[in-house]
Amino acid sequence: MKYPSIKLSMLQRQLISLTFSALLFTVPIFAAEQWTEPVTRMKFVSVPGGSFRIGDQFDEGSDDEQNNRKITIQPFHLGATEVTQGQWKAVMSSNPSRFRGDDRPVEEVSRYNVQEFIRKLNSRHGGKYRFRLPTEAEWEYACREGGRKVRFCNSSDLANPSEMNFNGSAEKKEPYSVAGEYLEETTPAESFPPNSLGLYDMSGNVWEWTCSEYQDRYDGSEERCADQADRYSLRGGSWGSFPWGVRAAYRNHHLLPASRNDHIGFRLARDN
């Protein structure tokens, strides 16, 4: 069946789900609204609002991925890529990363380092725009392309090292992964295809800080930012993660706010 072409100037990329009887057809619309931040040239994708059930959708996750609460997300903007070293240097005039390259994600950044970056970037805009980390719920909603049932954040239910940067070595293979080359380092932004919202590397490359306090059961904390917490949720997995860790539902709570290593980075959200 052929669909007619649609030309709209400000069409957001989103997923239109059409349910006929017991069948679900997902039709992506590929015209996302993007905005470029003028100081760093960071690209942001407009994420449409909607409702979804957070957490494990495949009956394979940890206990803390259960309690699949229905959550409503307001429209917001999210960085198309993880913050790169070039973008970090444009604000901080420094580079803490191990794997050097202006187009690679900045790593070795603690949550405190990230908050200082955000403070400085916000000050450059004088209140016109407000940048922050995404909430845990916003992060998963965007990773899953508006809350679709999908295992990984690149529109796929199969983890393939040719499509995302993770530890895909044969001894770590899962039924939902393909064995392949383990790069053992970060890769430049946009090295792999994005999901249907236009978001790159939400599975793999570097772990991404969220602004939400981690709780071992979803209780609403995942929907808001916490100024102070003992533990924050990190999402997405890194270049060293096994297939289990780069799933859309996986929650990393093992790092303190002061933790920093070459697996940890972040991406920014912008309030609409």
Side-chain angles (χ1 to χ4, degrees):
M1 177 178 179
K2 271 194 165 183
Y3 292 95
S5 60
I6 301 173
K7 294 182 179 180
L8 296 175
S9 59
M10 295 297 288
L11 185 64
Q12 298 175 339
R13 183 181 309 198
Q14 54 185 310
L15 295 169
I16 301 178
S17 295
L18 304 174
T19 304
F20 300 100
S21 303
L23 298 177
L24 181 70
F25 298 86
T26 302
V27 182
I29 294 181
F30 298 100
E33 177 190 345
Q34 282 199 350
W35 176 81
T36 300
E37 191 279 320
V39 175
T40 64
R41 308 306 298 169
M42 198 181 304
K43 296 176 184 177
F44 285 80
V45 171
S46 178
V47 179
S51 297
F52 80 121
R53 290 197 177 275
I54 196 168
D56 175 28
Q57 305 297 306
F58 293 88
D59 297 323
E60 64 191 10
S62 302
D63 289 345
D64 67 353
E65 299 173 24
Q66 309 309 317
N67 188 32
N68 306 131
R69 301 177 63 247
K70 186 174 183 179
I71 294 173
T72 297
I73 301 294
Q74 299 302 315
F76 69 106
H77 281 76
L78 188 64
T81 69
E82 294 153 337
V83 174
T84 67
Q85 294 169 38
Q87 292 161 352
W88 178 274
K89 290 192 294 185
V91 176
M92 304 296 283
S93 302
S94 64
N95 186 1
S97 305
R98 173 190 174 194
F99 303 112
R100 294 300 178 100
D102 279 354
D103 292 334
R104 294 188 188 221
V106 67
E107 14 93 2
E108 294 272 7
V109 287
S110 70
R111 185 179 181 278
Y112 301 130
N113 299 145
V114 172
Q115 290 304 113
E116 181 62 11
F117 175 90
I118 291 171
R119 185 190 68 78
K120 288 187 175 183
L121 182 59
N122 280 336
S123 71
R124 299 279 285 270
H125 289 279
K128 184 176 182 180
Y129 303 111
R130 178 178 176 263
F131 301 97
R132 56 176 174 81
L133 290 171
T135 67
E136 188 176 12
E138 287 174 331
W139 190 97
E140 185 174 323
Y141 176 81
C143 153
R144 286 171 47 197
E145 305 168 318
R148 286 182 60 227
K149 180 181 178 181
V150 63
R151 183 176 277 115
F152 300 103
C153 303
N154 64 345
S155 309
S156 179
D157 289 333
L158 188 71
N160 188 330
S162 68
E163 298 173 351
M164 64 177 77
N165 184 12
F166 70 104
N167 184 347
S169 52
E171 61 269 24
K172 304 302 180 185
K173 187 180 179 305
E174 296 283 356
Y176 46 75
S177 70
V178 174
E181 184 180 6
Y182 175 26
L183 299 177
E184 301 186 62
E185 62 180 341
T186 61
T187 48
E190 302 185 23
S191 292
F192 300 97
N195 69 12
S196 68
L197 288 180
L199 300 167
Y200 294 85
D201 292 319
M202 292 199 78
S203 283
N205 218 18
V206 289
W207 286 104
E208 300 181 15
W209 289 104
T210 75
C211 67
S212 297
E213 181 179 16
Y214 172 82
Q215 297 291 340
D216 59 11
R217 180 178 173 82
Y218 287 123
D219 64 355
S221 299
E222 68 278 1
E223 299 181 64
R224 54 184 179 266
C225 290
D227 291 335
Q228 298 290 329
D230 293 332
R231 293 183 296 173
Y232 289 86
S233 293
L234 292 92
R235 290 301 204 104
S238 79
W239 56 269
S241 297
F242 306 152
W244 170 266
V246 293
R247 292 177 303 113
Y250 185 79
R251 310 173 71 200
N252 181 350
H253 61 276
H254 304 292
L255 299 168
L256 299 173
S259 298
R260 51 189 297 270
N261 61 49
D262 54 20
H263 295 259
I264 304 174
F266 69 107
R267 83 177 63 219
L268 287 185
R270 193 205 89 184
D271 289 332
N272 280 1

